[in-house]
Amino acid sequence: MMTELDNRFMRHCIELARRARESGDHPVGSLVAREENVLGSGTESTRRLLDIAAHAEIEALRAACRKTGAMELAGATLYTTTEPCYLCSFAIRQLRISRVVIGRPYAAAGGLTSRHPILIDPSMTCWGPPPIVVSGVLLKECEALFTDPH
C-alpha cells in the first residue's frame, strides 16, 4: 500500500536522479529510510566514479549501513526511481530491507519485472526474506527522467 510518505520520499529520489543526470550518469536516485528518518541516499554514479557497482541503490545502502553501523537494515524501506537490477536486488535481500518502493519498471534486468524476479523470489532463502514491494509510485515523473532532458 502506498502512503503520502512514499510520495514525499520518491520526490526526493527524483531530485537525486536529476543530479545524477546532470553529472552524466543515468537518472536514478535512491534513498533508505526507517519511518520518517533518511538513513542514506545515493545517485547513480557509475560513470562519474568509474565504478560499475556505484548504482544509486547501492550508494544509498552503503550510506545507510555506515550511518547505522550495521549490515542489517530490517524495518527500513528503500525508495528508488527505477526498479532495482539484479545486483541491487541481491544487496537489498542480503541487508534484509523490509520494503522497496519503485517508481518505474526495468523489465530488461529488474529484480521484479524481468524473467528473473530475484528481488521477490521466495526460494532464495539464503539471501534473506523478500521485501514487500510497492511499484509505480510517481510513475510518470520517474519515466520522464529518461525522456525529458530538463
Side-chain angles (χ1 to χ4, degrees):
M1 180 166 77
M2 185 179 61
T3 68
E4 184 50 42
L5 190 60
D6 293 340
N7 285 327
R8 188 174 94 204
F9 282 142
M10 188 60 72
R11 283 186 190 93
H12 184 80
C13 289
I14 290 168
E15 286 307 312
L16 293 168
R18 288 183 179 129
R19 283 189 227 157
R21 182 177 56 207
E22 289 168 5
S23 295
D25 272 289
H26 288 104
V28 182
S30 184
L31 69 82
V32 177
R34 200 176 271 138
E35 297 173 5
E36 293 194 29
N37 301 311
V38 175
L39 303 177
S41 64
T43 61
E44 191 78 8
S45 302
T46 56
R47 292 178 180 163
R48 184 175 58 82
L49 297 177
L50 298 176
D51 180 351
I52 192 66
H55 295 198
E57 298 89 342
I58 297 296
E59 294 300 299
L61 291 166
R62 286 174 175 158
C65 288
R66 284 192 299 270
K67 183 170 185 171
T68 63
M71 289 290 294
E72 183 174 314
L73 298 169
T77 298
L78 179 129
Y79 295 85
T80 185
T81 54
T82 298
E83 177 182 344
C85 71
Y86 303 139
L87 169 70
C88 297
S89 294
F90 168 77
I92 290 165
R93 297 276 304 260
Q94 282 288 301
L95 294 173
R96 297 190 176 346
I97 292 286
S98 299
R99 192 166 170 266
V100 176
V101 177
I102 300 167
R104 68 183 275 275
Y106 179 43
L112 179 68
T113 62
S114 73
R115 291 178 39 191
H116 309 287
I118 64 173
L119 182 62
I120 58 169
D121 186 338
S123 71
M124 297 181 161
T125 56
C126 62
W127 287 8
I132 295 166
V133 177
V134 178
S135 189
V137 175
L138 301 181
L139 174 63
K140 289 181 183 179
E141 293 91 331
C142 291
E143 286 177 335
L145 291 165
F146 285 83
T147 58
D148 181 9
H150 298 90

